[in-house]
C-alpha cells in the first residue's frame, strides 16, 4: 500500500510540474508578446506568433486620397500610429 501511495504521489507531482511548465511557456511565448504588441497598437497573430503593423490600403494600391476630409483623416491616423510606436522617454 505504501508503495502505491508513493507512486501516485510521484505521478501527481510530475503532472503538476508539467502543467506549471506549460503555463510558463504559454505566458512567455504567447501571452506576454501579444500584450506588448497590442499595447503598441499593432496586430498580434497568436497562431504564428507574429506582430504586424496595420498598413493603409492606399499605401498598397497606390490610389490617391482625393478629398480633403479623407486626406486629413489619413494624416491624423498616421500621426497616431507614429506616436504610439515612438518609445517613451
Amino acid at each position: 500500500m505504501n508503495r502505491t501511495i508513493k507512486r501516485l504521489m510521484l505521478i501527481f507531482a510530475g503532472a503538476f510540474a508539467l502543467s506549471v511548465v506549460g503555463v510558463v511557456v504559454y505566458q512567455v511565448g504567447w501571452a506576454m508578446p501579444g500584450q506588448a504588441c497590442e499595447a503598441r497598437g499593432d496586430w498580434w497573430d497568436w497562431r504564428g506568433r507574429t506582430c504586424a503593423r496595420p498598413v493603409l490600403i492606399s499605401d498598397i494600391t497606390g490610389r490617391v486620397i482625393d478629398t480633403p476630409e479623407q486626406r486629413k483623416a489619413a494624416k491624423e491616423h498616421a500621426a497616431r500610429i507614429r506616436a504610439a510606436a515612438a518609445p517613451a522617454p
Side-chain angles (χ1 to χ4, degrees):
M1 188 66 123
N2 193 13
R3 194 168 151 198
T4 305
I5 292 174
K6 282 190 177 191
R7 185 178 303 149
L8 279 174
M9 182 186 68
L10 289 176
I11 290 171
F12 280 110
F16 178 74
L18 283 175
S19 64
V20 167
V21 168
V23 168
V24 169
V25 167
Y26 171 75
Q27 284 293 322
V28 171
W30 279 270
M32 289 169 51
Q35 289 172 350
C37 178
E38 290 175 353
R40 288 190 309 262
D42 295 340
W43 294 336
W44 175 251
D45 177 29
W46 63 271
R47 289 183 192 103
R49 294 180 44 216
T50 305
C51 187
R53 172 162 290 164
V55 178
L56 294 174
I57 295 294
S58 61
D59 290 345
I60 297 171
T61 62
R63 189 173 71 191
V64 178
I65 301 174
D66 52 357
T67 63
E69 295 87 22
Q70 289 177 343
R71 186 181 315 270
K72 182 180 175 187
K75 285 183 180 181
E76 289 173 357
H77 181 71
R80 271 187 274 132
I81 289 175
R82 276 197 279 336

